[in-house]
Amino acid sequence: MASERLTDTELRAWQALMHAHDRVTETLDAELRAAHDLSLAAYDVLLRLARAPERTLRMTELASRVLISPSGLTRRVDRLAAQRLVRRETDPGDGRVALARLTDEGLARLRAAARTHLRGIREHFTGRLTEGQLRNVSAALESVAGPHTPH
Amino acid sequence: MASERLTDTELRAWQALMHAHDRVTETLDAELRAAHDLSLAAYDVLLRLARAPERTLRMTELASRVLISPSGLTRRVDRLAAQRLVRRETDPGDGRVALARLTDEGLARLRAAARTHLRGIREHFTGRLTEGQLRNVSAALESVAGPHTPH
DNA sequence: GACATTTCCTTGCATACGCAAGTTTCTCCC
DNA sequence: GGGAGAAACTTGCGTATGCAAGGAAATGTC
């Protein structure tokens, strides 16, 4: 295998990853915005909070789960707080840490959006693959990303 | 299969796609910037031009190949033109169409960066998968993105 | 028990992008 | 052959992001 050339298989896989990701995220983002006025990024934040105990997470932890920089998260949460979907609090035990808590309104919004989103994921991604393909893709891409943290 | 819930397999595949894509693109972008002062986005433009006849493409066509909006491409090409990696021309036959042409300097830059980039793709993506996995991933993701346009 | 250090978050600044509106050049059609 | 309409960009404006620097709170050290 030459060291400066990609095989055809490698090139196809690489381009397919890029193309599929862009296409799917763009579509899902557009659908969420149209139906629920929520970006995919906002949805992701609400979802992580909904899954967390007390529907609350520290900013640092939340940032790492949604794959964004700390400063990016500060502003993203600010926008959600302005819509009353999230409330900001300070950790009583440690004055440095800021907490983000999902409000009831945020949870309701998330649940409503989930219908659209899950249908979208299936329509534009998983539904186009067989059960076996899904397993193959999961296994392969998980080994690329490192084992997925279970959150 | 419930209509409002994703199966575990579906969820895993979805999260793996997001996570793998983010991780790989972020790493490759950082490597290109560090070693060659080129963003992944810039690299992509140079690559498409290098593959095109006359190393030249119309803006519209280029935009669709690099998956960006027309206005986004205008500025991206402007930045590359400012670095002399690309030259802008007007189509002699149709005054509306703007052409982007890869300069010799741009080609040299691309070739230098390609070493880094191809090694990176292999190190962070394809090299972690078996030949069979690559084929599975390609086939699966191509059916998600629609058949890949051969460019 | 204060001072240095570390941790956690936020803000200033710069960058990159998309949409909608505008400009220029063709094309059509009567 | 001239005016209506379409095509192919480009620009104004708003948004979202990251990095580096800053501020506030906790921790460690002597």
Side-chain angles (χ1 to χ4, degrees):
Chain A
M1 198 181 292
S3 72
E4 290 210 3
R5 268 222 161 288
L6 293 180
T7 65
D8 209 58
T9 319
E10 285 179 296
L11 185 61
R12 269 184 65 207
W14 168 243
Q15 297 197 349
L17 177 69
M18 293 291 117
H19 205 270
H21 173 273
D22 283 13
R23 181 127 168 52
V24 174
T25 53
E26 216 166 271
T27 305
L28 294 179
D29 186 65
E31 288 180 355
L32 275 179
R33 285 178 193 276
H36 302 278
D37 195 32
L38 273 184
S39 68
L40 188 53
Y43 181 94
D44 201 15
V45 168
L46 301 184
L47 178 63
R48 308 292 173 160
L49 290 177
R51 288 176 175 176
E54 310 284 321
R55 305 190 330 217
T56 302
L57 284 173
R58 318 167 53 144
M59 294 295 279
T60 296
E61 181 58 28
L62 184 52
S64 90
R65 293 192 192 187
V66 300
L67 302 175
I68 197 189
S69 70
S71 60
L73 183 66
T74 293
R75 276 122 178 180
R76 200 186 279 183
V77 167
D78 283 348
R79 291 190 292 273
L80 291 170
Q83 299 182 269
R84 313 271 176 209
L85 304 183
V86 161
R87 194 178 326 124
R88 312 199 58 146
E89 301 172 4
T90 306
D91 187 60
D94 186 335
R96 292 170 301 180
V97 328
L99 302 173
R101 176 191 298 271
L102 185 64
T103 64
D104 290 344
E105 191 179 342
L107 183 59
R109 232 6 216 300
L110 174 64
R111 286 195 172 133
R115 297 205 183 100
T116 302
H117 188 55
L118 298 182
R119 191 190 40 63
I121 291 179
R122 200 167 258 162
E123 178 178 346
H124 304 295
F125 179 46
T126 61
R128 300 186 177 200
L129 305 179
T130 65
E131 178 74 13
Q133 282 182 312
L134 285 176
R135 287 189 209 286
N136 287 335
V137 166
S138 300
L141 296 185
E142 279 169 6
S143 72
V144 165
H148 186 264
T149 349
H151 290 306
Chain B
M1 199 182 294
S3 72
E4 289 208 4
R5 269 226 161 286
L6 293 181
T7 65
D8 208 59
T9 319
E10 284 180 296
L11 186 60
R12 269 185 64 207
W14 168 243
Q15 297 197 348
L17 176 68
M18 293 292 117
H19 205 273
H21 173 273
D22 283 13
R23 181 129 169 51
V24 175
T25 52
E26 217 166 88
T27 306
L28 294 180
D29 186 64
E31 287 180 355
L32 274 179
R33 286 178 193 276
H36 301 280
D37 195 32
L38 273 184
S39 68
L40 188 54
Y43 181 94
D44 200 16
V45 167
L46 301 185
L47 178 63
R48 307 292 173 159
L49 290 176
R51 288 176 175 175
E54 309 286 321
R55 309 194 321 220
T56 301
L57 284 173
R58 319 166 52 145
M59 292 295 278
T60 295
E61 181 58 29
L62 184 53
S64 89
R65 294 192 192 188
V66 299
L67 301 175
I68 197 188
S69 70
S71 60
L73 183 66
T74 293
R75 277 128 180 177
R76 199 186 280 183
V77 167
D78 283 348
R79 290 190 292 272
L80 290 170
Q83 296 182 268
R84 313 271 175 208
L85 304 182
V86 161
R87 195 176 327 123
R88 310 199 58 147
E89 300 173 4
T90 305
D91 188 291
D94 185 338
R96 293 169 303 180
V97 328
L99 302 174
R101 175 189 300 270
L102 185 63
T103 64
D104 290 344
E105 191 179 343
L107 183 59
R109 238 353 225 300
L110 174 65
R111 286 194 171 132
R115 296 204 185 101
T116 302
H117 187 55
L118 298 182
R119 190 189 40 64
I121 290 179
R122 201 165 259 164
E123 178 178 346
H124 304 295
F125 179 45
T126 61
R128 301 187 176 198
L129 304 179
T130 66
E131 178 75 13
Q133 283 183 312
L134 285 175
R135 286 189 210 286
N136 287 335
V137 166
S138 300
L141 295 185
E142 279 169 6
S143 71
V144 165
H148 187 262
T149 349
H151 292 305

